[in-house]
Amino acid sequence: QSALTQPASVSGSPGQSITISCTGTSGDIGAYDYVSWYQQHPGKAPKLMIYNVTNRPSGISNRFSGSKSGNTASLTISGLQAEDEADYYCSSYRGGNPPVIFGGGTMLTVL
Amino acid sequence: QVQLVQSGAEVKKPGASVKLSCKASGFSFTAFYLHWVRQTPRQGLEWMGWISAATGVTYYAPRFQGSVTMTRDTSISTVYLELNSLRSDDTAVYYCARDWPGSQGRVFDYWGQGALVTVSS
């Protein structure tokens, strides 16, 4: 099973908005509304930011939002802040085994 | 608060085994599934399997079946990952992660801090 496809890097200035894409197939992202997004700072564990495509866990800023169209999911971060600089990973349920696959990660740089 | 605290870094020779631990606190241990996910520069994040903390039932990804064993000790709220016949490409950071209630592997809401396993002769 191939990993989901993410851009290697994106960048934006403080206050701007950026969007990170995550492309899968009709067997994973296209089939289920179970896309999650994780933020990972260097040397730290991943942190859940978005689940089930659009939902934010308690405590996550509403500057983070998720969406999906067809086989592609997106994470949008508005009002960029310096602390948003991190790697971001998408994941999708795919049924079968393994039940979940991840994207290759996107490095976000806040200029 | 929910915490998953993992054991420390390990250095092993090819062919050896290693057993990692992940101690849970701040939640009802036996109410959850715990997963193991590894991270390598080449492969990125890979789901390895889950264990039911209540029953000990396990479910492994095909590529790890036969080379890993997940166990748990409910008396100390700890899950374990044993890696056997280590190879150099098993060098990775291994994370335990809690299953979002009822998600069955769709969402991981809390992660341990990770444990680096280095396999080198």
Side-chain angles (χ1 to χ4, degrees):
Chain A
Q1 63 289 342
S2 302
L4 305 173
T5 300
Q6 299 181 234
S9 63
V10 299
S11 62
S13 299
Q16 287 186 331
S17 294
I18 64 94
T19 296
I20 299 172
S21 62
C22 172
T23 301
T25 70
S26 58
D28 40 65
I29 291 178
Y32 305 97
D33 288 333
Y34 294 123
V35 176
S36 298
W37 290 91
Y38 300 90
Q39 176 192 66
Q40 187 178 35
H41 288 107
K44 300 295 186 181
K47 176 182 179 181
L48 179 65
M49 306 300 286
I50 296 286
Y51 69 97
N52 295 358
V53 180
T54 62
N55 296 289
R56 282 187 309 277
S58 174
I60 300 302
S61 170
N62 60 9
R63 297 187 300 105
F64 292 84
S65 62
S67 63
K68 190 187 90 166
S69 177
N71 298 337
T72 298
S74 299
L75 172 71
T76 298
I77 309 174
S78 60
L80 269 180
Q81 299 179 1
E83 61 260 35
D84 298 333
E85 187 164 288
D87 293 328
Y88 291 84
Y89 295 88
C90 60
S91 73
S92 177
Y93 180 72
R94 58 178 289 279
N97 189 5
V100 63
I101 53 173
F102 292 89
T106 298
M107 179 186 303
L108 169 61
T109 301
V110 180
L111 302 170
Chain B
Q1 73 281 22
V2 173
Q3 281 193 307
L4 297 171
V5 179
Q6 297 185 231
S7 49
E10 302 268 5
V11 179
K12 296 292 181 182
K13 294 191 182 303
S17 296
V18 67
K19 190 172 185 177
L20 309 178
S21 67
C22 169
K23 182 172 178 58
S25 61
F27 64 97
S28 178
F29 178 70
T30 54
F32 289 85
Y33 287 73
L34 279 296
H35 300 254
W36 289 92
V37 177
R38 80 175 187 181
Q39 186 171 30
T40 64
R42 182 175 180 179
Q43 300 286 343
L45 292 165
E46 291 182 276
W47 179 83
M48 301 179 70
W50 56 248
I51 181 168
S52 165
T55 64
V57 171
T58 55
Y59 186 66
Y60 303 127
R63 67 170 287 165
F64 297 107
Q65 183 81 41
S67 64
V68 307
T69 304
M70 298 177 189
T71 56
R72 96 291 189 216
D73 184 338
T74 57
S75 68
I76 55 172
S77 300
T78 298
V79 294
Y80 301 94
L81 174 69
E82 185 168 19
L83 307 170
N84 302 305
S85 303
L86 287 165
R87 308 184 321 182
S88 58
D89 59 3
D90 290 319
T91 295
V93 177
Y94 291 81
Y95 292 100
C96 60
R98 193 183 80 163
D99 193 77
W100 181 279
S103 80
Q104 297 185 329
R106 297 175 176 88
V107 185
F108 309 115
D109 61 352
Y110 288 93
W111 296 62
Q113 83 275 23
L116 173 63
V117 175
T118 302
V119 183
S120 175
S121 55

